Amino acid sequence: MKLYVYYVLKFHLEQKKRNLIGNSISITIKYSRFESVTRQTPLIDYINEYEIILSTAKYLFDKNYSGKPLRLIGVSLNNVINRSSYKKQVSLFDK
């Protein structure tokens, strides 16, 4: 699990360096017999926060891991845009 946390942190820092945010996280689980599972979940807003990426990826992994030996785990931030071009829509009903 420590290697997984390291991988997600490295991924987060690369996206942060490139000033990217996204509104969906996906994981890919590849097993030793070349079977693979890919799962994705949308997020409420565009993000690039390490804690959210890690907890969401961990949730998807725990929900979908079959217990078989692993060959690869991948994490992706999807629907990415540059943070400087992000315009958050304000609701008329929020206080």
Side-chain angles (χ1 to χ4, degrees), residues 4 25-29 37-41 53 56-65 73-76 78:
Y4 187 69
I25 294 176
S26 65
I27 64 161
T28 300
I29 303 169
V37 174
T38 302
R39 296 291 182 264
Q40 177 176 323
T41 189
I53 295 169
T56 304
K58 186 174 179 340
Y59 168 78
L60 288 172
F61 178 80
D62 291 344
K63 191 173 176 183
N64 294 284
Y65 177 54
I73 301 173
V75 178
S76 298
N78 304 310

Short mmCIF file of all heavy atoms in Angstrom, two decimals, residues 4 25-29 37-41 53 56-65 73-76 78:
data_model
loop_
_atom_site.label_atom_id
_atom_site.label_comp_id
_atom_site.label_asym_id
_atom_site.label_seq_id
_atom_site.Cartn_x
_atom_site.Cartn_y
_atom_site.Cartn_z
N TYR A 4 1.60 2.36 -3.48
CA TYR A 4 0.43 2.95 -4.11
C TYR A 4 0.28 4.41 -3.70
O TYR A 4 0.03 5.28 -4.53
CB TYR A 4 -0.81 2.13 -3.72
CG TYR A 4 -2.06 2.53 -4.42
CD1 TYR A 4 -2.22 2.29 -5.78
CD2 TYR A 4 -3.10 3.15 -3.74
CE1 TYR A 4 -3.38 2.66 -6.44
CE2 TYR A 4 -4.26 3.51 -4.39
CZ TYR A 4 -4.40 3.26 -5.73
OH TYR A 4 -5.54 3.62 -6.38
N ILE A 25 -12.04 10.80 -11.71
CA ILE A 25 -10.88 9.98 -11.38
C ILE A 25 -11.16 8.56 -11.84
O ILE A 25 -12.27 8.04 -11.64
CB ILE A 25 -10.57 10.01 -9.88
CG1 ILE A 25 -10.14 11.42 -9.48
CG2 ILE A 25 -9.50 8.99 -9.51
CD1 ILE A 25 -9.92 11.59 -8.01
N SER A 26 -10.17 7.93 -12.45
CA SER A 26 -10.32 6.53 -12.85
C SER A 26 -9.12 5.73 -12.39
O SER A 26 -8.03 6.28 -12.19
CB SER A 26 -10.50 6.41 -14.37
OG SER A 26 -9.35 6.82 -15.05
N ILE A 27 -9.35 4.44 -12.21
CA ILE A 27 -8.26 3.52 -11.90
C ILE A 27 -8.30 2.38 -12.91
O ILE A 27 -9.34 2.05 -13.46
CB ILE A 27 -8.35 2.95 -10.46
CG1 ILE A 27 -9.60 2.09 -10.29
CG2 ILE A 27 -8.27 4.04 -9.44
CD1 ILE A 27 -9.52 1.15 -9.11
N THR A 28 -7.14 1.81 -13.15
CA THR A 28 -7.01 0.59 -13.94
C THR A 28 -6.27 -0.42 -13.09
O THR A 28 -5.23 -0.12 -12.53
CB THR A 28 -6.24 0.86 -15.25
OG1 THR A 28 -6.94 1.84 -15.99
CG2 THR A 28 -6.10 -0.41 -16.07
N ILE A 29 -6.86 -1.60 -12.99
CA ILE A 29 -6.25 -2.70 -12.25
C ILE A 29 -5.93 -3.79 -13.27
O ILE A 29 -6.84 -4.26 -13.97
CB ILE A 29 -7.20 -3.27 -11.19
CG1 ILE A 29 -7.63 -2.18 -10.22
CG2 ILE A 29 -6.55 -4.45 -10.46
CD1 ILE A 29 -8.78 -2.60 -9.30
N VAL A 37 -9.38 -4.37 -15.24
CA VAL A 37 -10.62 -3.73 -14.81
C VAL A 37 -10.34 -2.24 -14.78
O VAL A 37 -9.34 -1.80 -14.21
CB VAL A 37 -11.04 -4.22 -13.40
CG1 VAL A 37 -12.24 -3.44 -12.90
CG2 VAL A 37 -11.30 -5.71 -13.39
N THR A 38 -11.23 -1.45 -15.37
CA THR A 38 -11.11 0.00 -15.33
C THR A 38 -12.41 0.56 -14.76
O THR A 38 -13.49 0.18 -15.22
CB THR A 38 -10.86 0.59 -16.72
OG1 THR A 38 -9.66 0.01 -17.25
CG2 THR A 38 -10.71 2.10 -16.68
N ARG A 39 -12.28 1.43 -13.78
CA ARG A 39 -13.45 2.05 -13.17
C ARG A 39 -13.20 3.54 -13.02
O ARG A 39 -12.09 3.98 -12.80
CB ARG A 39 -13.74 1.45 -11.79
CG ARG A 39 -14.12 -0.01 -11.83
CD ARG A 39 -15.49 -0.22 -12.48
NE ARG A 39 -15.87 -1.61 -12.46
CZ ARG A 39 -15.69 -2.47 -13.47
NH1 ARG A 39 -15.11 -2.05 -14.58
NH2 ARG A 39 -16.10 -3.71 -13.37
N GLN A 40 -14.30 4.30 -13.14
CA GLN A 40 -14.22 5.75 -13.11
C GLN A 40 -15.35 6.30 -12.28
O GLN A 40 -16.43 5.73 -12.22
CB GLN A 40 -14.33 6.27 -14.54
CG GLN A 40 -14.34 7.77 -14.68
CD GLN A 40 -14.36 8.19 -16.14
OE1 GLN A 40 -13.74 7.56 -16.97
NE2 GLN A 40 -15.10 9.24 -16.43
N THR A 41 -15.11 7.42 -11.62
CA THR A 41 -16.17 8.11 -10.89
C THR A 41 -16.06 9.62 -11.11
O THR A 41 -14.96 10.16 -11.14
CB THR A 41 -16.12 7.77 -9.38
OG1 THR A 41 -17.28 8.29 -8.75
CG2 THR A 41 -14.89 8.31 -8.70
N ILE A 53 -7.76 12.74 -4.45
CA ILE A 53 -7.34 11.76 -5.45
C ILE A 53 -7.04 10.42 -4.78
O ILE A 53 -7.52 9.37 -5.23
CB ILE A 53 -6.11 12.26 -6.23
CG1 ILE A 53 -6.47 13.50 -7.05
CG2 ILE A 53 -5.57 11.16 -7.15
CD1 ILE A 53 -5.28 14.21 -7.66
N THR A 56 -10.33 8.73 -3.29
CA THR A 56 -11.21 8.25 -4.35
C THR A 56 -10.61 7.04 -5.06
O THR A 56 -11.31 6.06 -5.31
CB THR A 56 -11.48 9.38 -5.38
OG1 THR A 56 -12.01 10.51 -4.69
CG2 THR A 56 -12.47 8.94 -6.44
N ALA A 57 -9.32 7.09 -5.36
CA ALA A 57 -8.65 5.96 -6.00
C ALA A 57 -8.67 4.73 -5.08
O ALA A 57 -8.92 3.61 -5.53
CB ALA A 57 -7.22 6.32 -6.37
N LYS A 58 -8.44 4.95 -3.80
CA LYS A 58 -8.47 3.84 -2.84
C LYS A 58 -9.87 3.25 -2.74
O LYS A 58 -10.04 2.03 -2.70
CB LYS A 58 -7.99 4.30 -1.47
CG LYS A 58 -7.85 3.18 -0.47
CD LYS A 58 -7.24 3.65 0.82
CE LYS A 58 -7.10 2.59 1.87
NZ LYS A 58 -7.88 1.42 1.81
N TYR A 59 -10.88 4.08 -2.73
CA TYR A 59 -12.27 3.60 -2.70
C TYR A 59 -12.57 2.74 -3.93
O TYR A 59 -13.14 1.65 -3.82
CB TYR A 59 -13.24 4.79 -2.62
CG TYR A 59 -14.66 4.41 -2.87
CD1 TYR A 59 -15.42 3.79 -1.87
CD2 TYR A 59 -15.27 4.65 -4.11
CE1 TYR A 59 -16.73 3.42 -2.10
CE2 TYR A 59 -16.57 4.28 -4.34
CZ TYR A 59 -17.31 3.67 -3.34
OH TYR A 59 -18.60 3.30 -3.59
N LEU A 60 -12.20 3.24 -5.12
CA LEU A 60 -12.43 2.48 -6.35
C LEU A 60 -11.67 1.16 -6.33
O LEU A 60 -12.19 0.12 -6.76
CB LEU A 60 -12.03 3.31 -7.58
CG LEU A 60 -12.94 4.48 -7.93
CD1 LEU A 60 -12.31 5.33 -9.03
CD2 LEU A 60 -14.31 3.98 -8.36
N PHE A 61 -10.43 1.20 -5.85
CA PHE A 61 -9.62 -0.02 -5.77
C PHE A 61 -10.25 -1.03 -4.82
O PHE A 61 -10.45 -2.19 -5.16
CB PHE A 61 -8.20 0.30 -5.33
CG PHE A 61 -7.33 -0.91 -5.19
CD1 PHE A 61 -6.76 -1.49 -6.32
CD2 PHE A 61 -7.09 -1.48 -3.96
CE1 PHE A 61 -5.97 -2.63 -6.21
CE2 PHE A 61 -6.30 -2.61 -3.83
CZ PHE A 61 -5.74 -3.19 -4.96
N ASP A 62 -10.58 -0.59 -3.61
CA ASP A 62 -11.16 -1.50 -2.61
C ASP A 62 -12.47 -2.11 -3.10
O ASP A 62 -12.77 -3.27 -2.82
CB ASP A 62 -11.40 -0.77 -1.29
CG ASP A 62 -10.10 -0.41 -0.58
OD1 ASP A 62 -9.04 -0.97 -0.93
OD2 ASP A 62 -10.16 0.46 0.32
N LYS A 63 -13.25 -1.34 -3.83
CA LYS A 63 -14.54 -1.81 -4.34
C LYS A 63 -14.39 -2.81 -5.49
O LYS A 63 -15.26 -3.65 -5.69
CB LYS A 63 -15.35 -0.60 -4.80
CG LYS A 63 -16.78 -0.89 -5.10
CD LYS A 63 -17.53 0.40 -5.37
CE LYS A 63 -18.95 0.08 -5.77
NZ LYS A 63 -19.71 1.26 -6.12
N ASN A 64 -13.28 -2.76 -6.23
CA ASN A 64 -13.16 -3.55 -7.45
C ASN A 64 -12.04 -4.58 -7.46
O ASN A 64 -11.96 -5.39 -8.38
CB ASN A 64 -12.98 -2.61 -8.65
CG ASN A 64 -14.21 -1.78 -8.88
OD1 ASN A 64 -15.20 -2.27 -9.39
ND2 ASN A 64 -14.18 -0.53 -8.46
N TYR A 65 -11.16 -4.58 -6.49
CA TYR A 65 -10.03 -5.53 -6.46
C TYR A 65 -10.53 -6.92 -6.10
O TYR A 65 -11.23 -7.11 -5.11
CB TYR A 65 -8.97 -5.06 -5.47
CG TYR A 65 -7.81 -6.01 -5.32
CD1 TYR A 65 -7.08 -6.44 -6.42
CD2 TYR A 65 -7.44 -6.48 -4.07
CE1 TYR A 65 -6.02 -7.30 -6.27
CE2 TYR A 65 -6.37 -7.34 -3.91
CZ TYR A 65 -5.67 -7.75 -5.02
OH TYR A 65 -4.61 -8.62 -4.89
N ILE A 73 -1.27 -1.07 -11.32
CA ILE A 73 -2.38 -0.23 -10.87
C ILE A 73 -2.15 1.15 -11.46
O ILE A 73 -1.06 1.71 -11.32
CB ILE A 73 -2.42 -0.10 -9.34
CG1 ILE A 73 -2.58 -1.46 -8.68
CG2 ILE A 73 -3.57 0.80 -8.92
CD1 ILE A 73 -2.45 -1.39 -7.17
N GLY A 74 -3.15 1.69 -12.11
CA GLY A 74 -3.03 3.02 -12.70
C GLY A 74 -4.10 3.96 -12.16
O GLY A 74 -5.21 3.54 -11.88
N VAL A 75 -3.75 5.23 -12.02
CA VAL A 75 -4.68 6.26 -11.57
C VAL A 75 -4.66 7.38 -12.60
O VAL A 75 -3.59 7.79 -13.05
CB VAL A 75 -4.27 6.83 -10.20
CG1 VAL A 75 -5.21 7.94 -9.76
CG2 VAL A 75 -4.21 5.74 -9.16
N SER A 76 -5.85 7.86 -12.96
CA SER A 76 -5.95 8.94 -13.94
C SER A 76 -6.89 10.03 -13.44
O SER A 76 -7.91 9.74 -12.84
CB SER A 76 -6.51 8.43 -15.28
OG SER A 76 -5.67 7.48 -15.84
N ASN A 78 -9.25 12.73 -15.05
CA ASN A 78 -9.85 12.86 -16.38
C ASN A 78 -10.56 14.20 -16.56
O ASN A 78 -10.82 14.90 -15.60
CB ASN A 78 -10.83 11.71 -16.61
CG ASN A 78 -10.17 10.38 -16.44
OD1 ASN A 78 -9.13 10.12 -17.00
ND2 ASN A 78 -10.78 9.53 -15.63
#
